[in-house]
Structure formats: C-alpha cells, structure tokens
Amino acid sequence: MLRAASTWGSLLAGLTGVLCCACTSVPYDGGLGGGGASPATTTTTTSTAGGGNVNVDEVAVMTWNLESFPLYPDTPERVRAVIDSLSPDVIAVQEIGDEASFHGLVSSLDGYAGLLADDAENFIRVGLIYRTGRVSVGEVTTLFQGDWYPFPRPVLSAELQIDGFDFVALVVHLKAYGDEESVDRRRVAIERLDEHLRAAMDGASEQDFVVPGDFTDEPTDTPTTNVFGPLQ
C-alpha cells in the first residue's frame, strides 16, 4: 500500500507500505533563510509490521529544508529552538551546506545524534537527526550516487527502530524549479524511487518505509500538476 501525506500532525495508524511526507511550500517566517520551506511533521500511533501488531506510542517524523544551512550566523540557534519546541523523534533535513555546522547543531541538541548522506563533493546534501533515547539505527547507506539526472542530491537510507517497530527512512531532496527539464527529472526520480521500494519490499521481511523530504511538488496537488505518479 502506497500512501502520501503532507500535513501537520496527521495520525496514520497501521503503517504498512510506503509513507511519503513532504515539506510544505509555505515560507517559514522564523528568519531562518527567507525562502525555506516550513518543517512538516507526521505522527503515527499504531503500526502493523510483519503481520503482527506493534503498539508504538506516538512517533513524530519531521522533515525540513533548511536552505543552504547555515544561511545566517544565527540560523543554527534558531533551528535548535524550533526542534526543541517540537521535540520530534526523527528529523529529515535537506540543504545541509556545511558539515561542521550540521554536527554543531546536532551537538547543541539534548539527546539527539545525526547522519549525513555520503556525498561530500556536493554543495548541499540531505541528513537525518534522531532522538537517541527512542531511536536505534541499523544500516545506513547513500542511494543513487552518480545518478545525477534524477537525483542531484543522493538519497540517505537508514534502518530505524522505535519501541520495537522497525522501518526504513529514505531522505530525499528532488530537483527544484518548474521548467520542463526539472519536472522531468523529478518524474524520473519518483519512478526510480518506486522501483527501488518495490524491489526492496518484494519478498523481504521489511515492509515499512517512510520517505520524508523536499519533493518540490505537493502530494495533494492533482496528478496533472505534480510528478508523484506511482507514489500517489
């Protein structure tokens, strides 16, 4: 089952398959970079995995395009304040421009650790911040490296477990802009993601995936105005 969500605080019970959660396109007014997308959060209360019910207290997954982080000297402190106020369990981040500043932000957060995609040559990349008291991390890989046309920023894949419920998080940041080539690059990326997810789920024990990130398009738009296609 493939489902998409782009809402604040959606309650999604029985997660089995693929859940996509995307940044909203409304500019965040916290002075973090002017045009950056607002953080979006998705929560789930009860999940089904491997054919059995796993009761999980509320889990908050947040995704946030931080816009060339850190865009301003006070950006890390402002981001830290927002994260502290929301206290999410998992935070997918996009547009990390400086690795040292990212690790500095993570160090300033109480009880969090962080990961970055293995893509040091790129001027921006994706990452993941997670609450160490609740989240256990397994295998971490960087997907679609060198596949530049659909994925100018390679995807970060991380096996996560929260209160006995395990799932794979794929952090994405698709091509921006509305010109014909950019739209086509996003469409190809969605098709590649769909192929990857279906292959990973085919006969495998892991059937739960969360795909947070900046998709540029809105999942709630009509199929004629977004490229989500098979992930709708």
Side-chain angles (χ1 to χ4, degrees), residues 178-190:
D179 59 279
E180 184 176 348
E181 179 181 309
S182 296
V183 171
D184 184 65
R185 291 174 70 176
R186 291 198 296 277
R187 182 175 293 108
V188 174
I190 291 294

Side-chain angles (χ1 to χ4, degrees), residues 10-11 17 43 49 57 79 101 104 137 162-163 174 186 194 216 226 230:
S10 299
L11 295 178
T43 60
D57 290 336
V79 171
S101 296
V137 178
I162 300 178
D163 297 343
L174 301 188
R186 291 198 296 277
D194 179 61
T216 298
N226 73 47

Side-chain angles (χ1 to χ4, degrees), residues 186-196 227-228 230:
R186 291 198 296 277
R187 182 175 293 108
V188 174
I190 291 294
E191 292 171 353
R192 297 279 174 83
L193 280 170
D194 179 61
E195 292 169 0
H196 173 83
V227 299
F228 279 84

